[in-house]
Amino acid sequence: MRGGGGQGGGTQGGGGGQGASGAGSTTCTLHPPSGPSQTVPCSRPGLGTFNPSDGCYWEVDTPQPPASDPAWNGHKPGDGALYNVTCTYDGGQTAGGTEWAKNPPAGAPGGVDPAQLAQQAIKKLLLSGPDIGIEPDPAGQGGTVGVPVWMWNRPSPSTTGPTSASAAAGGITVTATATVREVDWVMGDGHTVVCANAGTPYQASFGMKKSPTCGYVYADTSADEPGAKYRIVATTTWAVHWVGGGEEGDATTTRASQVQIPIGEVQVVGG
């Protein structure tokens, strides 16, 4: 059995790159009873995998001892397994021993991987691209060169968040929560507008003012574009934080929507 206590529990976290859904890369953190938290390897050769629940490294004892070994402590081979456990003390010393466990610790080979559960939870979020609001109305006459265009993302759990979903297995539940980081508006004329919020819905009382949060002014008409319209693609970058199984991490994912808008010129009538 294990000799002595460990240095406290731990957590696992990380960051994901922009693009497709994912649980992100992971790093492990040891929380000692005294002193600051420490970043530690999530696995160490000869010691095994870091277990966030106790802050120790667990590695399956290979080969497993015979049934007569007292380390089984009343259990039988095949009913769980025996693990070599190594814990770190504040002074840098290590202690450990042999532990029986019904199931492998979270993150260990053969055990439930919280990062994989996080990927399942992210897929359940049902995130969408922006619910595009735009003025001038693309369904009408559209806009005019030099006249401000207002863009916004109509709020809902699936378009602006926050929204959460969970996945569970092996007694572990991981919950992922998504919030919008930014919306990139590719305006169709070679320019992009990055908006750090949902934008401001247009009201008739605003007249010819520019949007205070998310807008654009075209310098050229869309006459030479397919269908004589600019294709606007709005892409939401979602920031996802997940937690469960004694671990946590971060990921990003993107979703896109599009709309087409005609942009004409001011017609001057001669006198």
Side-chain angles (χ1 to χ4, degrees):
M1 302 301 292
R2 190 185 312 183
Q7 191 178 341
T11 58
Q12 189 167 5
Q18 183 168 336
S21 298
S25 58
T26 55
T27 57
C28 293
T29 304
L30 180 67
H31 302 292
S34 60
S37 299
Q38 306 168 26
T39 299
V40 298
C42 289
S43 63
R44 295 177 63 180
L47 296 182
T49 304
F50 183 76
N51 182 6
S53 65
D54 61 7
C56 301
Y57 287 90
W58 287 59
E59 185 171 53
V60 66
D61 192 357
T62 305
Q64 290 281 283
S68 59
D69 194 306
W72 285 102
N73 194 28
H75 301 286
K76 298 179 180 180
D79 178 20
L82 291 175
Y83 294 83
N84 295 319
V85 182
T86 304
C87 307
T88 304
Y89 286 111
D90 290 332
Q93 299 175 333
T94 59
T98 303
E99 290 279 351
W100 174 87
K102 176 66 176 178
N103 299 302
V112 176
D113 186 352
Q116 292 182 352
L117 281 181
Q119 294 179 11
Q120 297 178 26
I122 291 172
K123 291 179 181 178
K124 292 182 178 181
L125 288 171
L126 301 178
L127 306 177
S128 67
D131 183 1
I132 295 176
I134 192 165
E135 179 65 32
D137 184 0
Q141 295 182 348
T144 304
V145 169
V147 176
V149 176
W150 291 54
M151 299 102 68
W152 64 94
N153 180 13
R154 298 183 182 94
S156 73
S158 64
T159 58
T160 56
T163 185
S164 298
S166 299
I172 294 176
T173 300
V174 172
T175 299
T177 301
T179 55
V180 171
R181 178 180 296 172
E182 64 183 27
V183 179
D184 293 3
W185 299 78
V186 179
M187 303 306 297
D189 63 347
H191 294 88
T192 299
V193 178
V194 179
C195 298
N197 52 59
T200 304
Y202 179 80
Q203 299 180 25
S205 60
F206 296 152
M208 299 288 286
K209 294 180 180 178
K210 292 183 178 180
S211 170
T213 54
C214 188
Y216 186 67
V217 177
Y218 282 100
D220 299 294
T221 74
S222 58
D224 295 332
E225 299 296 317
K229 296 179 180 180
Y230 285 121
R231 184 169 70 100
I232 299 175
V233 179
T235 301
T236 300
T237 298
W238 291 86
V240 184
H241 182 74
W242 59 267
V243 59
E247 304 178 12
E248 59 183 346
D250 296 280
T252 59
T253 185
T254 58
R255 299 290 188 275
S257 304
Q258 59 180 287
V259 67
Q260 292 183 315
I261 185 172
I263 300 294
E265 291 182 311
V266 174
Q267 299 298 317
V268 179
V269 179

